[in-house]
Structure formats: C-alpha cells, structure tokens
Amino acid sequence: MDDCIFCKIAAGEIPADLVYEDDTVVAFRDLNPQAPTHVLVIPRAHIATLNELKPEQEGIVGRMFSAAKEIAAQEGFAEAGYRTVINCNEAGGQTVFHIHLHLLGGRMMNWPPG
Ligand code: 5GP
Ligand code: ZN
C-alpha cells in the first residue's frame, strides 16, 4: 500500500524506534505512548483490519503475539503483567488501517478499557 504509514515504517522509509524485527513482523515504540512501554507489533504484509485477515495469514498473527511476549520479557514486565490489544475499525478505536498489536506495560491496566 503506497500511502500506508505502517508499510513505510516496515520498509524503513519512515523512521521509527524499532525494538524487534524479523521476516514477518516489525515492532516499534508508539509515538504517543499510553503506558511506560507502548510498542506496536505489525506484520510486514499490509492487512488493513482484523476483518481482512485471511485463513492463510493466521500464522502472521501468531508471530505478532510471539514477538509481543518476547518484547515484554526484554522490557522486564512479563511476570508483572501487560496488555495486548488489536483495535478494529471505528467503534474499536482503530485509526491506522494496517493491523497492529498494541503491547502496553509498565503500569497497572484498568478494566474495562475505555
Ligand atoms: P490505533 O488507534 O489504530 O489502534 O493505533 C494507532 C497507533 O499508532 C496510535 O497509538 C498512534 O499513537 C500510533 N501512531 C500513529 N502514527 C504513528 C507513527 O508515525 N509512528 C509511530 N511510532 N506511531 C504512530
Ligand atoms: Zn500497510
């Protein structure tokens, strides 16, 4: 997707504070963090929303969660706990239409979320 900001970050065309990358996913710090650690894990493939996920892409989402748990351990809050969130479409609060897993840690999380 030519005009997708997260495709550009994955391609290295827009700078980001990367914390992890492999052949399938890229993870970088959120520009507007909502917790002491707020990382976004994205697939290199452009998938606009969770609704567009194809059965053959299920492994990509698994890799996103595996990366998130590895980053949580690196950041030192795996045992204390953390939150992973994928927002979908307007009512879900999605503003960037390339799927991303939010990894939030370093503080107590509230439930239910806003
Ligand atoms: P959403 O609301 O779609 O679930 O989350 C989008 C997230 O992307 C927001 O938390 C926002 O702060 C973050 N974001 C938007 N544009 C950029 C960017 O250019 N760089 C980084 N690092 N984060 C971004
Ligand atoms: Zn994209």
Side-chain angles (χ1 to χ4, degrees):
M1 277 286 284
D2 290 347
D3 59 351
C4 172
I5 193 163
F6 285 0
C7 279
K8 288 181 177 162
I9 287 175
E13 293 165 10
I14 289 179
D17 187 357
L18 263 57
V19 297
Y20 178 85
E21 65 178 320
D22 63 25
D23 288 349
T24 307
V25 304
V26 177
F28 52 92
R29 296 190 192 279
D30 197 294
L31 264 189
N32 183 24
Q34 301 302 312
T37 293
H38 186 173
V39 167
L40 302 174
V41 185
I42 68 168
R44 290 191 184 276
H46 180 84
I47 303 165
T49 81
L50 197 54
N51 290 340
E52 272 73 47
L53 186 77
K54 299 177 181 133
E56 62 269 26
Q57 294 174 317
E58 285 173 0
I60 294 175
V61 176
R63 187 87 275 286
M64 289 164 69
F65 276 94
S66 288
K69 73 133 196 182
E70 288 163 20
I71 296 161
Q74 275 171 30
E75 295 282 321
F77 52 69
E79 294 308 317
Y82 56 94
R83 183 161 292 166
T84 51
V85 179
I86 297 177
N87 296 326
C88 184
N89 275 340
E90 186 182 358
Q94 186 175 6
T95 59
V96 177
F97 289 85
H98 176 133
I99 58 167
H100 44 281
L101 179 62
H102 293 262
L103 168 65
L104 298 136
R107 67 168 170 84
M108 289 297 295
M109 299 295 155
N110 301 314
W111 195 263

